[in-house]
Amino acid sequence: MIINSRNDLPVYDHRLEARPSELLTGPIEPVLLLAEQVIANDAKTLADFAIQDRTTREEIINHRLAAALLRTDIDAVKAAASELRAIQDRGDRKLTMGLIEEIAVEALASHDPAASAGHLAEARLSLLPYNTVDAWMKGERATLATANPDLVLGQVRASLDPIAEKNGGLVDQRTAAAVVAARVARDRLYPVAPQIAAALAQIIDVNSTGSRTDIWATRQVTLDESLDAKPITIAIWDSGVDMNLFTPATDPGMAIDGEGRRVPDLLRPTQGYTERLPELLDLVKGLFDLRAGQMTHAAVAYQSKAVALKPEEVKEFIEALGFMVNYVHSTHVAGIAVAGNPFARIQAVSMHFPHRQEDMKLDRAISERRATFYREAIKSMQAAGTRVVNMSWRIGPEFFESILATQGGTADAIERKQLAAELFAIEKRALEKSIRAAPDILFVAGAGNEGNDASFSDYIPAGLSIPNLITVGAVDRAGREAIFTSVGGTVVIYANGVEIEAVVPGGQRRAFSGTSMASPQVANAAAKLAAMRPELSGAQLRQLLIDTATTEGRVELLNPREAFAKAGIKAA
């Protein structure tokens, strides 16, 4: 049987005899047994199904890689790493997949693991073509530089222990694999992480002498307020906008909480974080700077904070960062969407999902309320004359399964999967039907930051194929495919999504990365076109942007200036 959707994959249960966090600190034998059970289930899946999806095949190979690392089996680690590299379709991934694990396992087998890790990392990583793998190196340095066994333990206590407790010790394959991966991180990778991170930092410092060419400056279009253009409403369907920073549409928008109930605030309330907003903003900036390979003061401060965390401090730290990302995200997206467009008006469609795992709830009534909200929100957009909607969010059946697992109340993974599919279908149908019923509007969706196939994962809105919806992947300023971007059949255009500066609530400017930052670049171009050519439908705007994109490798790059030229508009 050929698998065309992640939702068609089989599910398996595992009975844990101890809490996940206890499996991280107790004897290794139960974790090795758990790893072998995960691998046995994978073997059954591969025997029964034909799986073409790269990300799913990577997960299966990574399970074997983790087990080999736990056993400190050098040959098995190398074999799994070789398999990972063989199935890649990107140059950097063909060179780097499994390489850190190979270095770690060889170092751990030596008489001086720390010294060996440093020497091996320097010798092997310095041979890689830096201009091909620089983004990967910066990401790995960020991960390894904040390696803290207590952080891993705290994360498992906060996220995996509640799942096991709510379900009587019965966890699904994904949770079981996460327990194994956490033990691998603590016992096999983190003991040599500082030395590998130091080698990466040295290579990055030596090679980061200049910046790549920015291809986007010559593609951008700015509208002058003297032009004969129509005011254009852009809806930011996201986590909540600081409307004080933008010219609001006649209808400023609507908002719901995580359970689909209408709430009055378009920008999510600061709750108990009001006094900590400056501190949390700096931490979020440091996190993004570190991931981008920029060792700024904020990055160093974030790194120092992360490596010093104790297990009991981790839950609050993660929740505070989660709140702050949601708090700033939508306003940042709006700032990108309106840049260079004096005719832009903002409408906020806000979904204030909880930032604490235990506050996430799901049942049929919630999905029905959210489905109603999707219908009402799009009808209100139509009534307000909204022409472009940016949707830098995504949900899928797997996300629904995780919520159900956390709240408990289902018999096993099969029942959770079935219920998640039913509830997700309610929301997917409502959203898809409502988008199709609004042909004058172009909906712009961010593909996702998981490096997977948005279509296979059945994301909404990114996985939908609709004439007036366009899904956007991310590239960097040089037009190279971003290492994090999701891909797939529905991802038809790419825009700059790396280190994009825009406003955050209160008016400060910060640079963030993600397909969330690439999507509003496309919304920006579409809104400018619609302001100058209001007769264009959503599908026509979409096609115009696709037709004028330029091909770089396997990606199609947004080119607003060419789109203006094809539409017969003189660009400034």
Side-chain angles (χ1 to χ4, degrees), residues 20 26-27 79 171 190 277 492 513 530:
V171 302
Y190 284 12
L277 291 181
V492 294
S513 300

Side-chain angles (χ1 to χ4, degrees), residues 172-192:
D172 62 15
Q173 178 94 338
R174 185 170 61 251
T175 304
V179 173
V180 175
R183 184 70 187 248
V184 169
R186 279 176 56 91
D187 287 12
R188 301 294 186 258
L189 295 178
Y190 284 12
V192 294

Side-chain angles (χ1 to χ4, degrees), residues 132-194:
T132 301
V133 302
D134 58 327
W136 172 82
M137 283 192 172
K138 291 173 180 178
E140 289 297 314
R141 194 263 295 267
T143 300
L144 296 171
T146 54
N148 175 2
D150 283 347
L151 179 58
V152 175
L153 180 58
Q155 288 172 325
V156 170
R157 284 180 180 174
S159 60
L160 301 187
D161 280 2
I163 292 175
E165 291 166 5
K166 287 285 188 178
N167 296 280
L170 197 66
V171 302
D172 62 15
Q173 178 94 338
R174 185 170 61 251
T175 304
V179 173
V180 175
R183 184 70 187 248
V184 169
R186 279 176 56 91
D187 287 12
R188 301 294 186 258
L189 295 178
Y190 284 12
V192 294

